[in-house]
Amino acid sequence: MIDTGRYLIGAAGISGFGSKSTADEVTENCDLRSTTAIITGATSGIGAETARVLAKRGARLVFPARNVKAAEEAKGRIVSEFPETEIVVMELDLSSMSSVRRFVAGFESLHLPLNLLINNAGRLAHEHAITEDGIEMTFATNYLGHFLLTNLLVRKMIQTAEETGVQGRIVNVTSGIHGWFSGDVIEYLRLISQPKCQFDATRAYALSKLANVLHTKELSSRLQQKIGANVTVNCVHPGVVKTRLTRDREGLLTDLVFFLTSKLLKTVPQAAATTCYVATNPRLVNVSGKYFTDCNETTPSGLGSNSSEATKLWAASEILVTQHSKAAFDPFS
């Protein structure tokens, strides 16, 4: 009850910010004119606001997007507000591992530095679907595509940090819903990656968000063990906000849920605050492997805190991203 009360009134935590803080407010004193940032899912919602605020602070932005037209429109809106902003739009479908590889090759050909990677894109699909790589669509889009993207870009981030002396940061956008998942992570993914299965869209989404948390934990451990890797990774729960994430689940029931929880909803600028805080705040130098909500560090679920689960998922993910197209999901066969 105390935590709920603090949330509703927007009481500030140790960071000086709280649930009512906005992305503009948490970045007020930031100068990002020497920063290059890749932001997935920047065409709408939390990602678009994150991009707008980072552009306001001077960052060069790269927009990977499945819908290039929508990304160009998002770029236009930002440039109209901040004319000096440099934004590069590139095609990327996170559900396709070959598309991820093409994007990274294209980005590397630009010879740009990379200081900041924000893995923000996500989807909550109602219908069961399998990707060209044989993986359940929600998991592939929300987690596995970002896993491969991050692994392919982290060398560039380490290089940039070494050349500039400025610590690189990776931010994984997850959700408090990750705590809704219980059970065997790999076995459930195996189940829902079959063409025919009993599909629970909410549980599949919770699994993908748990995977974001576990990815953060394991990647942080690996970066800390690598000599000279001046890069951190943290994950954030942005809060409850009605964005295009729910576009596949519009209807009376969804609208009713959002109406009943309206007092708990954040505005988009408030929802983008934690991402922007973790991406830019100087207090978080050398802070890595942590989970943030309302711009303050907190604790993920028990499963999300499990190091052995994180290691196990990483091993399975490495196999999945190297399998041939349409391979059946069986990482331990």
Side-chain angles (χ1 to χ4, degrees):
M1 287 296 292
I2 294 175
D3 287 342
T4 302
R6 290 178 61 84
Y7 175 88
L8 290 172
I9 65 174
I14 294 174
S15 69
F17 302 109
S19 63
K20 302 301 182 184
S21 300
T22 66
D24 274 310
E25 291 168 351
V26 304
T27 60
E28 188 172 2
N29 298 314
C30 291
D31 182 352
L32 301 180
R33 285 175 292 180
S34 299
T35 298
T36 298
I38 292 177
I39 309 172
T40 67
T43 59
S44 64
I46 297 169
E49 177 65 5
T50 299
R52 185 193 73 81
V53 172
L54 296 189
K56 182 178 182 178
R57 305 307 177 201
R60 175 199 285 130
L61 304 177
V62 179
F63 286 179
R66 185 169 57 86
N67 186 335
V68 174
K69 181 175 182 292
E72 290 288 356
E73 291 171 352
K75 171 183 174 178
R77 289 191 293 271
I78 290 175
V79 172
S80 67
E81 187 175 358
F82 309 111
E84 295 184 1
T85 304
E86 180 183 348
I87 302 178
V88 179
V89 172
M90 302 178 68
E91 187 173 4
L92 171 63
D93 180 354
L94 282 162
S95 72
S96 165
M97 300 308 110
S98 61
S99 178
V100 173
R101 290 189 171 88
R102 284 194 301 272
F103 166 79
V104 172
F107 175 75
E108 290 179 340
S109 72
L110 299 176
H111 303 291
L112 294 173
L114 182 58
N115 310 90
L116 182 57
L117 172 61
I118 300 179
N119 292 321
N120 166 81
R123 64 176 294 164
L124 172 57
H126 177 61
E127 299 296 332
H128 181 244
I130 304 296
T131 71
E132 64 185 26
D133 301 296
I135 310 299
E136 189 276 319
M137 181 65 74
T138 300
F139 187 86
T141 304
N142 294 359
Y143 165 69
L144 195 63
H146 282 127
F147 172 85
L148 179 59
L149 179 68
T150 303
N151 280 11
L152 294 177
L153 290 173
V154 74
R155 183 180 300 177
K156 169 63 74 174
M157 297 192 71
I158 292 171
Q159 177 187 343
T160 300
E162 184 176 359
E163 292 173 351
T164 64
V166 179
Q167 192 168 70
R169 296 189 185 185
I170 300 166
V171 182
N172 290 330
V173 179
T174 181
S175 168
I177 289 174
H178 81 272
W180 294 11
F181 185 87
S182 61
D184 188 313
V185 171
I186 302 300
E187 184 57 37
Y188 186 65
L189 177 58
R190 192 197 310 271
L191 173 66
I192 62 175
S193 292
Q194 303 304 315
K196 294 182 179 180
C197 70
Q198 188 173 356
F199 184 67
D200 181 331
T202 302
R203 192 174 187 216
Y205 181 73
L207 172 66
S208 72
K209 296 288 99 178
L210 172 63
N212 295 145
V213 177
L214 294 172
H215 177 215
T216 301
K217 188 172 186 65
E218 181 66 14
L219 178 57
S220 176
S221 175
R222 289 170 180 255
L223 286 169
Q224 289 173 34
Q225 293 171 21
K226 185 174 179 62
I227 297 174
N230 189 20
V231 176
T232 63
V233 56
N234 292 288
C235 59
V236 303
H237 166 49
V240 183
V241 58
K242 190 175 184 181
T243 67
R244 293 188 67 228
L245 176 67
T246 60
R247 61 188 176 271
D248 293 334
R249 299 184 69 83
E250 292 294 336
L252 180 60
L253 180 58
T254 299
D255 290 341
L256 178 61
V257 169
F258 275 102
F259 173 76
L260 293 174
T261 61
S262 61
K263 295 300 182 182
L264 299 176
L265 289 181
K266 288 186 175 184
T267 65
V268 170
Q270 289 168 350
T274 304
T275 300
C276 289
Y277 172 78
V278 172
T280 66
N281 197 280
R283 291 186 181 186
L284 299 186
V285 171
N286 296 327
V287 174
S288 191
K290 305 301 182 182
Y291 176 79
F292 289 81
T293 186
D294 299 333
C295 301
N296 287 275
E297 184 184 333
T298 186
T299 305
S301 70
L303 198 52
S305 302
N306 190 312
S307 297
S308 62
E309 285 292 335
T311 302
K312 182 179 175 183
L313 177 62
W314 183 285
S317 301
E318 283 189 321
I319 294 171
L320 286 173
V321 298
T322 57
Q323 285 182 335
H324 296 297
S325 179
K326 297 184 180 179
F329 176 77
D330 193 1
F332 299 119
S333 62

